[in-house]
Amino acid sequence: MRLPRNRYRAMREVLQSMDDTLAGKFEITREGIAHDLVSPNGHHELTRALLRRRLEKVTPDELLAHTGTPDVEDEPEAILRHPDVMVIAWEDLDTEGSIDPRTVLAAIEIVSRSNPDNDWVGKVRDYALMGIPVYAVFDPRTGTGAVFTDIHPTPSGPRYATRKDFVYGENVTIADWTIPTQGLPLHDRKT
């Protein structure tokens, strides 16, 4: 169920007022505000940097594997997300506000230890609703991942029809680009 527009705008204003004052990452989902309390650790940032570099080696020059801001926002769907990595054309990054999700060619997430369901459940739903054609999940807790593609309509809204699982060490294809997963860091198994 979509958030009422006024509730979404109120949450958006709250996030803007908290900008850079609270630790962690905030996003707006169908359930409300998602807060990943833990700032990304070194393993998370290393995975993000490795994925970005590997994607940039195989994508055309007019595309960028982007890891910064701004957020990806679909106001009509009342969703605001911040992918760990997104593949986007340089020209589509040149915007005053949030990035239009219809310009994102692929969204990539590294699963957070503190909130794995956000990546495996919420973002699988939200990225399809936003029309992002490819969503890849890398899970350093298990050394596995999945690539979701082929958005199709369902009674509860658009969903990805295809899921291709992979294990770290294999090559993975994200949209038109295949990259190695060898050497991606794993979380230690303590927690």
Side-chain angles (χ1 to χ4, degrees), residues 55-56 58-64 90 177:
L55 278 164
E56 286 186 339
V58 296
T59 55
D61 288 341
E62 64 269 9
L63 299 180
L64 169 69
W90 283 92
W177 316 288

PDB file of all heavy atoms in Angstrom, residues 55-56 58-64 90 177:
ATOM      1  N   LEU A  55      32.702  -2.927 -12.213  1.00  0.00           N
ATOM      2  CA  LEU A  55      31.662  -2.519 -13.173  1.00  0.00           C
ATOM      3  C   LEU A  55      32.192  -1.469 -14.140  1.00  0.00           C
ATOM      4  O   LEU A  55      31.894  -1.517 -15.334  1.00  0.00           O
ATOM      5  CB  LEU A  55      30.430  -1.993 -12.440  1.00  0.00           C
ATOM      6  CG  LEU A  55      29.481  -3.067 -11.928  1.00  0.00           C
ATOM      7  CD1 LEU A  55      28.531  -2.484 -10.898  1.00  0.00           C
ATOM      8  CD2 LEU A  55      28.723  -3.696 -13.080  1.00  0.00           C
ATOM      9  N   GLU A  56      32.957  -0.526 -13.647  1.00  0.00           N
ATOM     10  CA  GLU A  56      33.466   0.531 -14.526  1.00  0.00           C
ATOM     11  C   GLU A  56      34.445  -0.004 -15.572  1.00  0.00           C
ATOM     12  O   GLU A  56      34.610   0.597 -16.622  1.00  0.00           O
ATOM     13  CB  GLU A  56      34.073   1.669 -13.713  1.00  0.00           C
ATOM     14  CG  GLU A  56      32.982   2.486 -13.054  1.00  0.00           C
ATOM     15  CD  GLU A  56      33.466   3.729 -12.345  1.00  0.00           C
ATOM     16  OE1 GLU A  56      34.656   3.811 -11.988  1.00  0.00           O
ATOM     17  OE2 GLU A  56      32.630   4.625 -12.163  1.00  0.00           O
ATOM     18  N   VAL A  58      33.907  -2.710 -17.265  1.00  0.00           N
ATOM     19  CA  VAL A  58      33.155  -3.404 -18.320  1.00  0.00           C
ATOM     20  C   VAL A  58      31.997  -2.580 -18.894  1.00  0.00           C
ATOM     21  O   VAL A  58      31.391  -2.993 -19.877  1.00  0.00           O
ATOM     22  CB  VAL A  58      32.632  -4.782 -17.836  1.00  0.00           C
ATOM     23  CG1 VAL A  58      33.802  -5.705 -17.508  1.00  0.00           C
ATOM     24  CG2 VAL A  58      31.696  -4.642 -16.643  1.00  0.00           C
ATOM     25  N   THR A  59      31.684  -1.441 -18.295  1.00  0.00           N
ATOM     26  CA  THR A  59      30.599  -0.614 -18.820  1.00  0.00           C
ATOM     27  C   THR A  59      31.152   0.413 -19.795  1.00  0.00           C
ATOM     28  O   THR A  59      32.310   0.811 -19.699  1.00  0.00           O
ATOM     29  CB  THR A  59      29.835   0.113 -17.685  1.00  0.00           C
ATOM     30  OG1 THR A  59      30.771   0.855 -16.897  1.00  0.00           O
ATOM     31  CG2 THR A  59      29.074  -0.863 -16.801  1.00  0.00           C
ATOM     32  N   PRO A  60      30.322   0.880 -20.731  1.00  0.00           N
ATOM     33  CA  PRO A  60      30.780   1.910 -21.670  1.00  0.00           C
ATOM     34  C   PRO A  60      31.112   3.217 -20.941  1.00  0.00           C
ATOM     35  O   PRO A  60      30.633   3.476 -19.836  1.00  0.00           O
ATOM     36  CB  PRO A  60      29.592   2.112 -22.604  1.00  0.00           C
ATOM     37  CG  PRO A  60      28.586   1.089 -22.259  1.00  0.00           C
ATOM     38  CD  PRO A  60      28.957   0.454 -20.973  1.00  0.00           C
ATOM     39  N   ASP A  61      31.925   4.053 -21.585  1.00  0.00           N
ATOM     40  CA  ASP A  61      32.382   5.307 -20.976  1.00  0.00           C
ATOM     41  C   ASP A  61      31.244   6.249 -20.596  1.00  0.00           C
ATOM     42  O   ASP A  61      31.394   7.054 -19.680  1.00  0.00           O
ATOM     43  CB  ASP A  61      33.341   6.043 -21.919  1.00  0.00           C
ATOM     44  CG  ASP A  61      34.691   5.353 -22.020  1.00  0.00           C
ATOM     45  OD1 ASP A  61      35.022   4.549 -21.129  1.00  0.00           O
ATOM     46  OD2 ASP A  61      35.407   5.630 -23.000  1.00  0.00           O
ATOM     47  N   GLU A  62      30.106   6.175 -21.278  1.00  0.00           N
ATOM     48  CA  GLU A  62      29.007   7.089 -20.967  1.00  0.00           C
ATOM     49  C   GLU A  62      28.235   6.681 -19.705  1.00  0.00           C
ATOM     50  O   GLU A  62      27.357   7.407 -19.250  1.00  0.00           O
ATOM     51  CB  GLU A  62      28.053   7.238 -22.157  1.00  0.00           C
ATOM     52  CG  GLU A  62      27.324   5.990 -22.571  1.00  0.00           C
ATOM     53  CD  GLU A  62      28.061   5.162 -23.635  1.00  0.00           C
ATOM     54  OE1 GLU A  62      29.231   5.463 -23.948  1.00  0.00           O
ATOM     55  OE2 GLU A  62      27.457   4.204 -24.121  1.00  0.00           O
ATOM     56  N   LEU A  63      28.602   5.540 -19.130  1.00  0.00           N
ATOM     57  CA  LEU A  63      27.955   5.081 -17.903  1.00  0.00           C
ATOM     58  C   LEU A  63      28.902   5.178 -16.727  1.00  0.00           C
ATOM     59  O   LEU A  63      30.123   5.137 -16.875  1.00  0.00           O
ATOM     60  CB  LEU A  63      27.485   3.629 -18.051  1.00  0.00           C
ATOM     61  CG  LEU A  63      26.457   3.356 -19.139  1.00  0.00           C
ATOM     62  CD1 LEU A  63      26.105   1.877 -19.153  1.00  0.00           C
ATOM     63  CD2 LEU A  63      25.217   4.217 -18.967  1.00  0.00           C
ATOM     64  N   LEU A  64      28.317   5.276 -15.547  1.00  0.00           N
ATOM     65  CA  LEU A  64      29.065   5.397 -14.302  1.00  0.00           C
ATOM     66  C   LEU A  64      28.506   4.406 -13.293  1.00  0.00           C
ATOM     67  O   LEU A  64      27.285   4.273 -13.167  1.00  0.00           O
ATOM     68  CB  LEU A  64      28.911   6.828 -13.761  1.00  0.00           C
ATOM     69  CG  LEU A  64      29.394   7.116 -12.348  1.00  0.00           C
ATOM     70  CD1 LEU A  64      30.913   7.043 -12.294  1.00  0.00           C
ATOM     71  CD2 LEU A  64      28.916   8.482 -11.897  1.00  0.00           C
ATOM     72  N   TRP A  90      26.133   9.248 -17.167  1.00  0.00           N
ATOM     73  CA  TRP A  90      26.676  10.482 -16.595  1.00  0.00           C
ATOM     74  C   TRP A  90      25.661  11.606 -16.701  1.00  0.00           C
ATOM     75  O   TRP A  90      25.458  12.373 -15.756  1.00  0.00           O
ATOM     76  CB  TRP A  90      27.961  10.886 -17.326  1.00  0.00           C
ATOM     77  CG  TRP A  90      29.155  10.082 -16.931  1.00  0.00           C
ATOM     78  CD1 TRP A  90      29.604   8.946 -17.538  1.00  0.00           C
ATOM     79  CD2 TRP A  90      30.039  10.347 -15.845  1.00  0.00           C
ATOM     80  NE1 TRP A  90      30.726   8.494 -16.896  1.00  0.00           N
ATOM     81  CE2 TRP A  90      31.027   9.336 -15.855  1.00  0.00           C
ATOM     82  CE3 TRP A  90      30.110  11.336 -14.877  1.00  0.00           C
ATOM     83  CZ2 TRP A  90      32.063   9.301 -14.930  1.00  0.00           C
ATOM     84  CZ3 TRP A  90      31.139  11.296 -13.962  1.00  0.00           C
ATOM     85  CH2 TRP A  90      32.101  10.281 -13.989  1.00  0.00           C
ATOM     86  N   TRP A 177      26.564  -6.636 -18.139  1.00  0.00           N
ATOM     87  CA  TRP A 177      27.967  -6.646 -17.749  1.00  0.00           C
ATOM     88  C   TRP A 177      28.257  -7.781 -16.774  1.00  0.00           C
ATOM     89  O   TRP A 177      27.570  -7.947 -15.780  1.00  0.00           O
ATOM     90  CB  TRP A 177      28.333  -5.305 -17.136  1.00  0.00           C
ATOM     91  CG  TRP A 177      27.756  -4.193 -17.965  1.00  0.00           C
ATOM     92  CD1 TRP A 177      28.173  -3.793 -19.206  1.00  0.00           C
ATOM     93  CD2 TRP A 177      26.616  -3.392 -17.647  1.00  0.00           C
ATOM     94  NE1 TRP A 177      27.366  -2.782 -19.665  1.00  0.00           N
ATOM     95  CE2 TRP A 177      26.397  -2.513 -18.729  1.00  0.00           C
ATOM     96  CE3 TRP A 177      25.757  -3.323 -16.559  1.00  0.00           C
ATOM     97  CZ2 TRP A 177      25.371  -1.584 -18.755  1.00  0.00           C
ATOM     98  CZ3 TRP A 177      24.727  -2.396 -16.569  1.00  0.00           C
ATOM     99  CH2 TRP A 177      24.551  -1.536 -17.663  1.00  0.00           C
TER     100      TRP A 177
END
